[in-house]
Amino acid sequence: MGYSQKDIEGLYAFYKEQLLNDTVPFWFPRSFDKEAGGFLLMRDADGSLIDDDKAVWIQGRATWLLATLYNTVEKKQEWLEGAKLGYDFLNKHCFDEDGQMFFHVGRNGIPIRKRRYFFSETFYVIAAAAYAKASGDDGAADKARHVFGKCIEYATVPGLLQPKFTGNRPVKGIGTPMIMLNTAQQLRETIGDARCDEWITKWIAAIETDFVKHNIKCVMEQVAPDGSIVDHIDGRMLNPGHAIEGAWFILHEAIYRNNDPHLIKLGCSMLDYMWERGWDKEHGGILYFRDVYNKPVQEYWQDMKFWWPHNETIIATLLAFMITGNSKYAEWHKMVHEYAYNHFHDKKHGEWFGYLHRDGKIAQTAKGNLFKGPFHLPRQEWYCMQVLRNYIKGQQ
Amino acid sequence: MGYSQKDIEGLYAFYKEQLLNDTVPFWFPRSFDKEAGGFLLMRDADGSLIDDDKAVWIQGRATWLLATLYNTVEKKQEWLEGAKLGYDFLNKHCFDEDGQMFFHVGRNGIPIRKRRYFFSETFYVIAAAAYAKASGDDGAADKARHVFGKCIEYATVPGLLQPKFTGNRPVKGIGTPMIMLNTAQQLRETIGDARCDEWITKWIAAIETDFVKHNIKCVMEQVAPDGSIVDHIDGRMLNPGHAIEGAWFILHEAIYRNNDPHLIKLGCSMLDYMWERGWDKEHGGILYFRDVYNKPVQEYWQDMKFWWPHNETIIATLLAFMITGNSKYAEWHKMVHEYAYNHFHDKKHGEWFGYLHRDGKIAQTAKGNLFKGPFHLPRQEWYCMQVLRNYIKGQQ
């Protein structure tokens, strides 16, 4: 079974159509803030603006998207100019004096909030690198490499960033090696950097050694420094969609390394384990949090369906099928694809809603807020397009 | 219409039965940690322990509850001994070297997390004050008064606590005057303190002046320092159950001040405004967050039904009816009481579930976690008992 050549062509056409005629036009050009720079992205279902503040993560991610579309889909001037708007805003307003970036700024760049994480920085790296490739701006490439170096420091030097917890029960999260893995992959594929291969290998090893638990078929979201499970309510919490995102980062690396069998096995195991724990057998869709031992989860909204775990699972299942040919992955892909486009997609105004109740009803209508913007959905549609196009080309 | 004498007697009997034969026995004595001190409160629906960590807020609140039951319901030795377990644990393990309290400690008191708020301290004050009254321990009374003084400092001296946001868009929350109002009321009613009356007047004025907006019939959760509405996604967010809790703190003060008509009007207006915004006309129950202008709320789980807003609304509507005799409040009380006991109450194991989906289905089964424990529900049942008992006594 699995997907036929015709299915593959249909999926390619579908994702392309959605990306270019539904998702991207929801955001651009209307979100370009030609007055203050950057993007106005906090929008309700119909596109009306609900806030003119700017979330730094999303400013970086939107910049990355526009530059990437320009680099890989079409040399559209509007996309390049949009990427420059975002890139300039990030440089001008989003760095604090200590070199760390803010999390949330006002329309004109006035800093509102800084957080003790460095995700703003990682999204800056991929934005600046993609913009450097699109524009040929060497300064942007230098800046991307410089901030990537800072990210490596934040990720590896203990105590550089202010801790949220006392040191009495130290934990480490899968988020750091995952985001650094993907950041390095992006940097390598846009402007290249001599550090990437070595760090990618290290971060995959960090994930494999400490977070992937084959004995209980699970990918942990956090563990003790020695990789053991922290058997407390927060230490037990799993994030299946996040682990599945990690799975496809590793499958992506497997392809880059000429279908490295060890990485294929690792990525597919992570997907298998977390599909089993995350897929909601009753209502469909990916549950947000689970407890490793099926105890109650601290986060009360744990059984909601968020848009982005579905984007990541659509990518991971498609990639797993394309690599292995295992029809199970085509079936899973079909299940999550159909659930997502039936439940999240706004047929009236385009783009996806972000937040559903467990039963699939819409909980909140915003298309953009401090955490949601033009990233996971267009990245999924764009990435699947690339994968399917490469396959179709390979067949010709 | 409203409630008849017979209804009142029935409600009194119901809350007493629930408190003493359903809610309190769920928690005690099994949660007494005679080995390590304090209480083991993170429990699943059936009472099984899901974590042996200790949330400092809840350790303080449980101590307050046990001492208060001893002071006002029955001189039961078990309750006094339990209160001492909690009080000693708080003193021994929950203060940092800088005098601030932790938020989350391990079973043996090892500090896990400290937060930039002083709610641990306010719950310590009411715990120590109630324990001082129960035990006659003057040292406990001194400690309660000392920490109350620290809370006044935290609440009034800018910059004492580390801010979460940059200073570029300053806001203040209703949480500070509300918690300080209630803390001062508790302190006054247990061991007395010369500072209380003056501060209570000031904090009520702070709520009335800056947070209650009669022109738009709303109680804001946060405002700018001058009391204006911060028209951004976070500044617009309302918490109806929280504002309704504030309403009954003020109605409580109205009774203490011989039915002060201004305070009755203020408390009832707050209840009226936030019932209108919070009551879910479709499914019943109190919605968790709303936007002041009905735009999408940042928090995706905003339409969930949490246990505690229902406890606070049961108290507020009952108190408003007892004070005003307005049958509207008896109707509201009946609506929220019936919704809550039908949807949250666990008929099998006792106590309430904490978290429902908007449609009333249970989202998560824990009875106790880092934020839920023996407080809002037993306080509601205990407080309603007192109010109804006083009324019945007055009739005799």
Side-chain angles (χ1 to χ4, degrees), chain B residues 211-394:
Chain B
F211 296 91
V212 180
K213 305 294 181 198
H214 296 292
N215 57 335
I216 56 167
K217 300 194 172 193
C218 192
V219 182
M220 301 303 298
E221 188 66 16
Q222 56 172 301
V223 291
D226 67 357
S228 61
I229 294 175
V230 179
D231 192 1
H232 288 281
I233 198 166
D234 29 18
R236 291 195 301 262
M237 195 166 77
L238 310 176
N239 186 329
H242 196 220
I244 288 171
E245 184 181 21
W248 79 253
F249 292 167
I250 289 172
L251 292 176
H252 179 88
E253 193 62 20
I255 296 174
Y256 181 86
R257 298 189 186 182
N258 301 311
N259 292 325
D260 179 299
H262 180 77
L263 293 185
I264 292 172
K265 191 156 178 262
L266 176 62
C268 287
S269 296
M270 290 171 67
L271 172 56
D272 291 349
Y273 300 161
M274 299 315 280
W275 174 276
E276 179 60 31
R277 288 173 182 266
W279 181 259
D280 183 349
K281 291 179 184 74
E282 197 176 329
H283 297 278
I286 303 288
L287 294 159
Y288 200 92
F289 288 125
R290 300 299 310 272
D291 183 279
V292 58
Y293 303 132
N294 293 312
K295 293 182 182 177
V297 177
Q298 171 64 49
E299 293 292 355
Y300 21 83
W301 48 271
Q302 39 91 32
D303 68 358
M304 290 183 74
K305 309 284 166 64
F306 277 35
W307 84 106
W308 68 263
H310 296 81
N311 298 130
E312 304 313 322
T313 307
I314 286 172
I315 295 178
T317 49
L318 181 67
L319 210 48
F321 173 70
M322 301 306 279
I323 296 174
T324 66
N326 185 336
S327 63
K328 170 179 84 174
Y329 295 122
E331 278 161 38
W332 289 358
H333 177 266
K334 197 161 188 287
M335 285 163 76
V336 66
H337 172 102
E338 286 184 356
Y339 178 87
Y341 281 93
N342 285 333
H343 289 84
F344 288 101
H345 181 225
D346 180 358
K347 273 138 204 90
K348 188 165 176 198
H349 300 290
E351 244 276 347
W352 284 17
F353 297 108
Y355 310 97
L356 310 181
H357 298 134
R358 181 173 177 190
D359 66 8
K361 285 201 202 81
I362 293 162
Q364 209 255 45
T365 58
K367 300 276 173 62
N369 58 29
L370 281 170
F371 294 97
K372 186 177 186 295
F375 185 63
H376 289 280
L377 172 61
R379 179 173 77 166
Q380 169 231 303
E381 292 170 339
W382 164 79
Y383 189 87
C384 290
M385 261 178 74
Q386 310 303 304
V387 169
L388 295 161
R389 190 183 58 185
N390 292 345
Y391 176 84
I392 293 165
K393 272 192 184 167

